[in-house]
Amino acid sequence: MRNKIKELQKKLNKLGIDQWVFKSFNDGNLLLIGSPNITYYHLVEITFMRVDYINCSINLWTSGIIRLATNDERKLYNSQTQIEDEDLMIIIEDSFGEIFFIVCEDFEFKFID
């Protein structure tokens, strides 16, 4: 999983993707779209599957960092989320240092040509 998130972060950095907005939440799957200019187009779609918990702003925000939570972060938010060992906790750090997170079972991403 760490390789998957590193691959995603590398491509996001290369394309300058730092603006995000949630597009939909259907059947437990959360779709996040991103772009250098989200008002006009998007270049990436990240689908968080079987989402258990969301702690994110639903409006447009800017972030350059998407990563897996550290063990300390998982422990810190455990009482709030009741995260299980097999759950992923995806951290999204906004440009002001605010930490958002999504608890899910898996995620996938695709880049738009």
PDB file of all heavy atoms in Angstrom, residues 70-91:
ATOM      1  N   THR A  70       0.537   7.949  10.131  1.00  0.00           N
ATOM      2  CA  THR A  70       1.550   7.295  10.951  1.00  0.00           C
ATOM      3  C   THR A  70       0.842   6.509  12.059  1.00  0.00           C
ATOM      4  O   THR A  70      -0.351   6.712  12.315  1.00  0.00           O
ATOM      5  CB  THR A  70       2.488   8.333  11.598  1.00  0.00           C
ATOM      6  OG1 THR A  70       1.715   9.132  12.505  1.00  0.00           O
ATOM      7  CG2 THR A  70       3.162   9.216  10.555  1.00  0.00           C
ATOM      8  N   ASN A  71       1.562   5.643  12.727  1.00  0.00           N
ATOM      9  CA  ASN A  71       0.984   4.904  13.861  1.00  0.00           C
ATOM     10  C   ASN A  71       0.508   5.858  14.949  1.00  0.00           C
ATOM     11  O   ASN A  71      -0.536   5.636  15.560  1.00  0.00           O
ATOM     12  CB  ASN A  71       1.996   3.903  14.430  1.00  0.00           C
ATOM     13  CG  ASN A  71       2.175   2.714  13.516  1.00  0.00           C
ATOM     14  OD1 ASN A  71       1.299   2.372  12.729  1.00  0.00           O
ATOM     15  ND2 ASN A  71       3.331   2.082  13.608  1.00  0.00           N
ATOM     16  N   ASP A  72       1.257   6.920  15.200  1.00  0.00           N
ATOM     17  CA  ASP A  72       0.856   7.898  16.208  1.00  0.00           C
ATOM     18  C   ASP A  72      -0.454   8.587  15.831  1.00  0.00           C
ATOM     19  O   ASP A  72      -1.306   8.822  16.686  1.00  0.00           O
ATOM     20  CB  ASP A  72       1.953   8.943  16.420  1.00  0.00           C
ATOM     21  CG  ASP A  72       3.162   8.377  17.151  1.00  0.00           C
ATOM     22  OD1 ASP A  72       3.034   7.321  17.813  1.00  0.00           O
ATOM     23  OD2 ASP A  72       4.241   9.004  17.069  1.00  0.00           O
ATOM     24  N   GLU A  73      -0.610   8.919  14.553  1.00  0.00           N
ATOM     25  CA  GLU A  73      -1.859   9.548  14.100  1.00  0.00           C
ATOM     26  C   GLU A  73      -3.032   8.584  14.222  1.00  0.00           C
ATOM     27  O   GLU A  73      -4.133   8.980  14.629  1.00  0.00           O
ATOM     28  CB  GLU A  73      -1.721  10.035  12.659  1.00  0.00           C
ATOM     29  CG  GLU A  73      -0.820  11.239  12.533  1.00  0.00           C
ATOM     30  CD  GLU A  73      -0.430  11.563  11.119  1.00  0.00           C
ATOM     31  OE1 GLU A  73      -0.289  10.640  10.270  1.00  0.00           O
ATOM     32  OE2 GLU A  73      -0.232  12.761  10.842  1.00  0.00           O
ATOM     33  N   ARG A  74      -2.803   7.337  13.895  1.00  0.00           N
ATOM     34  CA  ARG A  74      -3.863   6.337  14.030  1.00  0.00           C
ATOM     35  C   ARG A  74      -4.306   6.226  15.492  1.00  0.00           C
ATOM     36  O   ARG A  74      -5.495   6.163  15.788  1.00  0.00           O
ATOM     37  CB  ARG A  74      -3.403   4.982  13.499  1.00  0.00           C
ATOM     38  CG  ARG A  74      -3.257   4.943  11.983  1.00  0.00           C
ATOM     39  CD  ARG A  74      -2.659   3.629  11.513  1.00  0.00           C
ATOM     40  NE  ARG A  74      -3.571   2.518  11.682  1.00  0.00           N
ATOM     41  CZ  ARG A  74      -4.427   2.087  10.760  1.00  0.00           C
ATOM     42  NH1 ARG A  74      -4.508   2.687   9.597  1.00  0.00           N
ATOM     43  NH2 ARG A  74      -5.189   1.050  10.998  1.00  0.00           N
ATOM     44  N   LYS A  75      -3.335   6.228  16.405  1.00  0.00           N
ATOM     45  CA  LYS A  75      -3.654   6.148  17.836  1.00  0.00           C
ATOM     46  C   LYS A  75      -4.376   7.401  18.311  1.00  0.00           C
ATOM     47  O   LYS A  75      -5.326   7.326  19.090  1.00  0.00           O
ATOM     48  CB  LYS A  75      -2.384   5.942  18.655  1.00  0.00           C
ATOM     49  CG  LYS A  75      -1.768   4.570  18.499  1.00  0.00           C
ATOM     50  CD  LYS A  75      -0.456   4.478  19.251  1.00  0.00           C
ATOM     51  CE  LYS A  75       0.261   3.177  18.934  1.00  0.00           C
ATOM     52  NZ  LYS A  75       1.594   3.127  19.546  1.00  0.00           N
ATOM     53  N   LEU A  76      -3.934   8.556  17.847  1.00  0.00           N
ATOM     54  CA  LEU A  76      -4.520   9.828  18.253  1.00  0.00           C
ATOM     55  C   LEU A  76      -6.008   9.910  17.911  1.00  0.00           C
ATOM     56  O   LEU A  76      -6.815  10.376  18.708  1.00  0.00           O
ATOM     57  CB  LEU A  76      -3.767  10.985  17.584  1.00  0.00           C
ATOM     58  CG  LEU A  76      -4.297  12.390  17.857  1.00  0.00           C
ATOM     59  CD1 LEU A  76      -4.126  12.751  19.332  1.00  0.00           C
ATOM     60  CD2 LEU A  76      -3.569  13.395  16.971  1.00  0.00           C
ATOM     61  N   TYR A  77      -6.369   9.430  16.731  1.00  0.00           N
ATOM     62  CA  TYR A  77      -7.753   9.531  16.272  1.00  0.00           C
ATOM     63  C   TYR A  77      -8.564   8.255  16.494  1.00  0.00           C
ATOM     64  O   TYR A  77      -9.710   8.173  16.089  1.00  0.00           O
ATOM     65  CB  TYR A  77      -7.791   9.912  14.788  1.00  0.00           C
ATOM     66  CG  TYR A  77      -7.196  11.273  14.519  1.00  0.00           C
ATOM     67  CD1 TYR A  77      -6.004  11.413  13.818  1.00  0.00           C
ATOM     68  CD2 TYR A  77      -7.818  12.423  14.985  1.00  0.00           C
ATOM     69  CE1 TYR A  77      -5.455  12.661  13.572  1.00  0.00           C
ATOM     70  CE2 TYR A  77      -7.278  13.680  14.748  1.00  0.00           C
ATOM     71  CZ  TYR A  77      -6.101  13.784  14.042  1.00  0.00           C
ATOM     72  OH  TYR A  77      -5.565  15.020  13.811  1.00  0.00           O
ATOM     73  N   ASN A  78      -7.978   7.255  17.132  1.00  0.00           N
ATOM     74  CA  ASN A  78      -8.648   5.969  17.306  1.00  0.00           C
ATOM     75  C   ASN A  78      -9.976   6.084  18.037  1.00  0.00           C
ATOM     76  O   ASN A  78     -10.972   5.476  17.634  1.00  0.00           O
ATOM     77  CB  ASN A  78      -7.745   4.965  18.018  1.00  0.00           C
ATOM     78  CG  ASN A  78      -8.363   3.595  18.081  1.00  0.00           C
ATOM     79  OD1 ASN A  78      -8.936   3.131  17.101  1.00  0.00           O
ATOM     80  ND2 ASN A  78      -8.260   2.950  19.220  1.00  0.00           N
ATOM     81  N   SER A  79     -10.035   6.848  19.106  1.00  0.00           N
ATOM     82  CA  SER A  79     -11.294   6.955  19.862  1.00  0.00           C
ATOM     83  C   SER A  79     -12.373   7.649  19.045  1.00  0.00           C
ATOM     84  O   SER A  79     -13.557   7.364  19.193  1.00  0.00           O
ATOM     85  CB  SER A  79     -11.068   7.690  21.179  1.00  0.00           C
ATOM     86  OG  SER A  79     -10.646   9.009  20.938  1.00  0.00           O
ATOM     87  N   GLN A  80     -11.970   8.546  18.166  1.00  0.00           N
ATOM     88  CA  GLN A  80     -12.917   9.267  17.314  1.00  0.00           C
ATOM     89  C   GLN A  80     -13.430   8.382  16.179  1.00  0.00           C
ATOM     90  O   GLN A  80     -14.594   8.436  15.826  1.00  0.00           O
ATOM     91  CB  GLN A  80     -12.217  10.506  16.748  1.00  0.00           C
ATOM     92  CG  GLN A  80     -13.060  11.383  15.879  1.00  0.00           C
ATOM     93  CD  GLN A  80     -12.262  12.590  15.384  1.00  0.00           C
ATOM     94  OE1 GLN A  80     -11.173  12.885  15.847  1.00  0.00           O
ATOM     95  NE2 GLN A  80     -12.820  13.291  14.437  1.00  0.00           N
ATOM     96  N   THR A  81     -12.557   7.563  15.617  1.00  0.00           N
ATOM     97  CA  THR A  81     -12.901   6.808  14.416  1.00  0.00           C
ATOM     98  C   THR A  81     -13.129   5.323  14.652  1.00  0.00           C
ATOM     99  O   THR A  81     -13.697   4.657  13.814  1.00  0.00           O
ATOM    100  CB  THR A  81     -11.772   6.915  13.383  1.00  0.00           C
ATOM    101  OG1 THR A  81     -10.596   6.299  13.920  1.00  0.00           O
ATOM    102  CG2 THR A  81     -11.484   8.349  13.019  1.00  0.00           C
ATOM    103  N   GLN A  82     -12.631   4.807  15.757  1.00  0.00           N
ATOM    104  CA  GLN A  82     -12.653   3.371  16.037  1.00  0.00           C
ATOM    105  C   GLN A  82     -12.054   2.585  14.872  1.00  0.00           C
ATOM    106  O   GLN A  82     -12.600   1.599  14.399  1.00  0.00           O
ATOM    107  CB  GLN A  82     -14.072   2.905  16.359  1.00  0.00           C
ATOM    108  CG  GLN A  82     -14.615   3.580  17.595  1.00  0.00           C
ATOM    109  CD  GLN A  82     -16.020   3.165  17.933  1.00  0.00           C
ATOM    110  OE1 GLN A  82     -16.566   2.248  17.352  1.00  0.00           O
ATOM    111  NE2 GLN A  82     -16.601   3.857  18.880  1.00  0.00           N
ATOM    112  N   ILE A  83     -10.904   3.053  14.428  1.00  0.00           N
ATOM    113  CA  ILE A  83     -10.217   2.461  13.284  1.00  0.00           C
ATOM    114  C   ILE A  83      -9.728   1.053  13.624  1.00  0.00           C
ATOM    115  O   ILE A  83      -9.225   0.810  14.713  1.00  0.00           O
ATOM    116  CB  ILE A  83      -9.058   3.376  12.831  1.00  0.00           C
ATOM    117  CG1 ILE A  83      -8.471   2.904  11.507  1.00  0.00           C
ATOM    118  CG2 ILE A  83      -8.005   3.502  13.900  1.00  0.00           C
ATOM    119  CD1 ILE A  83      -7.516   3.900  10.878  1.00  0.00           C
ATOM    120  N   GLU A  84      -9.918   0.159  12.691  1.00  0.00           N
ATOM    121  CA  GLU A  84      -9.455  -1.224  12.827  1.00  0.00           C
ATOM    122  C   GLU A  84      -8.075  -1.354  12.201  1.00  0.00           C
ATOM    123  O   GLU A  84      -7.677  -0.544  11.362  1.00  0.00           O
ATOM    124  CB  GLU A  84     -10.438  -2.172  12.125  1.00  0.00           C
ATOM    125  CG  GLU A  84     -11.866  -2.106  12.651  1.00  0.00           C
ATOM    126  CD  GLU A  84     -12.013  -2.647  14.067  1.00  0.00           C
ATOM    127  OE1 GLU A  84     -11.228  -3.542  14.437  1.00  0.00           O
ATOM    128  OE2 GLU A  84     -12.895  -2.164  14.794  1.00  0.00           O
ATOM    129  N   ASP A  85      -7.352  -2.384  12.587  1.00  0.00           N
ATOM    130  CA  ASP A  85      -5.992  -2.594  12.073  1.00  0.00           C
ATOM    131  C   ASP A  85      -5.947  -2.692  10.552  1.00  0.00           C
ATOM    132  O   ASP A  85      -4.999  -2.236   9.925  1.00  0.00           O
ATOM    133  CB  ASP A  85      -5.367  -3.860  12.674  1.00  0.00           C
ATOM    134  CG  ASP A  85      -5.023  -3.681  14.144  1.00  0.00           C
ATOM    135  OD1 ASP A  85      -4.929  -2.518  14.608  1.00  0.00           O
ATOM    136  OD2 ASP A  85      -4.856  -4.703  14.836  1.00  0.00           O
ATOM    137  N   GLU A  86      -6.968  -3.299   9.952  1.00  0.00           N
ATOM    138  CA  GLU A  86      -6.962  -3.495   8.503  1.00  0.00           C
ATOM    139  C   GLU A  86      -7.407  -2.259   7.729  1.00  0.00           C
ATOM    140  O   GLU A  86      -7.272  -2.196   6.508  1.00  0.00           O
ATOM    141  CB  GLU A  86      -7.827  -4.702   8.110  1.00  0.00           C
ATOM    142  CG  GLU A  86      -9.307  -4.545   8.392  1.00  0.00           C
ATOM    143  CD  GLU A  86      -9.730  -4.936   9.809  1.00  0.00           C
ATOM    144  OE1 GLU A  86      -8.870  -5.257  10.645  1.00  0.00           O
ATOM    145  OE2 GLU A  86     -10.927  -4.915  10.070  1.00  0.00           O
ATOM    146  N   ASP A  87      -7.949  -1.260   8.418  1.00  0.00           N
ATOM    147  CA  ASP A  87      -8.407  -0.040   7.756  1.00  0.00           C
ATOM    148  C   ASP A  87      -7.231   0.837   7.356  1.00  0.00           C
ATOM    149  O   ASP A  87      -6.212   0.895   8.040  1.00  0.00           O
ATOM    150  CB  ASP A  87      -9.313   0.783   8.678  1.00  0.00           C
ATOM    151  CG  ASP A  87     -10.659   0.132   8.927  1.00  0.00           C
ATOM    152  OD1 ASP A  87     -11.117  -0.639   8.069  1.00  0.00           O
ATOM    153  OD2 ASP A  87     -11.250   0.405   9.994  1.00  0.00           O
ATOM    154  N   LEU A  88      -7.402   1.541   6.253  1.00  0.00           N
ATOM    155  CA  LEU A  88      -6.437   2.559   5.837  1.00  0.00           C
ATOM    156  C   LEU A  88      -6.876   3.892   6.420  1.00  0.00           C
ATOM    157  O   LEU A  88      -8.071   4.196   6.454  1.00  0.00           O
ATOM    158  CB  LEU A  88      -6.409   2.692   4.322  1.00  0.00           C
ATOM    159  CG  LEU A  88      -5.931   1.504   3.512  1.00  0.00           C
ATOM    160  CD1 LEU A  88      -6.073   1.794   2.030  1.00  0.00           C
ATOM    161  CD2 LEU A  88      -4.490   1.192   3.849  1.00  0.00           C
ATOM    162  N   MET A  89      -5.935   4.671   6.855  1.00  0.00           N
ATOM    163  CA  MET A  89      -6.220   6.055   7.219  1.00  0.00           C
ATOM    164  C   MET A  89      -5.371   6.907   6.293  1.00  0.00           C
ATOM    165  O   MET A  89      -4.149   6.922   6.382  1.00  0.00           O
ATOM    166  CB  MET A  89      -5.889   6.343   8.683  1.00  0.00           C
ATOM    167  CG  MET A  89      -6.152   7.789   9.065  1.00  0.00           C
ATOM    168  SD  MET A  89      -5.717   8.157  10.778  1.00  0.00           S
ATOM    169  CE  MET A  89      -7.299   7.911  11.541  1.00  0.00           C
ATOM    170  N   ILE A  90      -6.048   7.594   5.379  1.00  0.00           N
ATOM    171  CA  ILE A  90      -5.382   8.447   4.406  1.00  0.00           C
ATOM    172  C   ILE A  90      -5.394   9.873   4.946  1.00  0.00           C
ATOM    173  O   ILE A  90      -6.452  10.416   5.252  1.00  0.00           O
ATOM    174  CB  ILE A  90      -6.094   8.412   3.032  1.00  0.00           C
ATOM    175  CG1 ILE A  90      -6.293   6.977   2.536  1.00  0.00           C
ATOM    176  CG2 ILE A  90      -5.345   9.279   2.020  1.00  0.00           C
ATOM    177  CD1 ILE A  90      -5.055   6.216   2.219  1.00  0.00           C
ATOM    178  N   ILE A  91      -4.221  10.463   5.064  1.00  0.00           N
ATOM    179  CA  ILE A  91      -4.074  11.823   5.561  1.00  0.00           C
ATOM    180  C   ILE A  91      -3.947  12.780   4.376  1.00  0.00           C
ATOM    181  O   ILE A  91      -3.200  12.509   3.432  1.00  0.00           O
ATOM    182  CB  ILE A  91      -2.812  11.960   6.443  1.00  0.00           C
ATOM    183  CG1 ILE A  91      -2.891  11.044   7.654  1.00  0.00           C
ATOM    184  CG2 ILE A  91      -2.578  13.423   6.831  1.00  0.00           C
ATOM    185  CD1 ILE A  91      -3.887  11.440   8.707  1.00  0.00           C
TER     186      ILE A  91
END
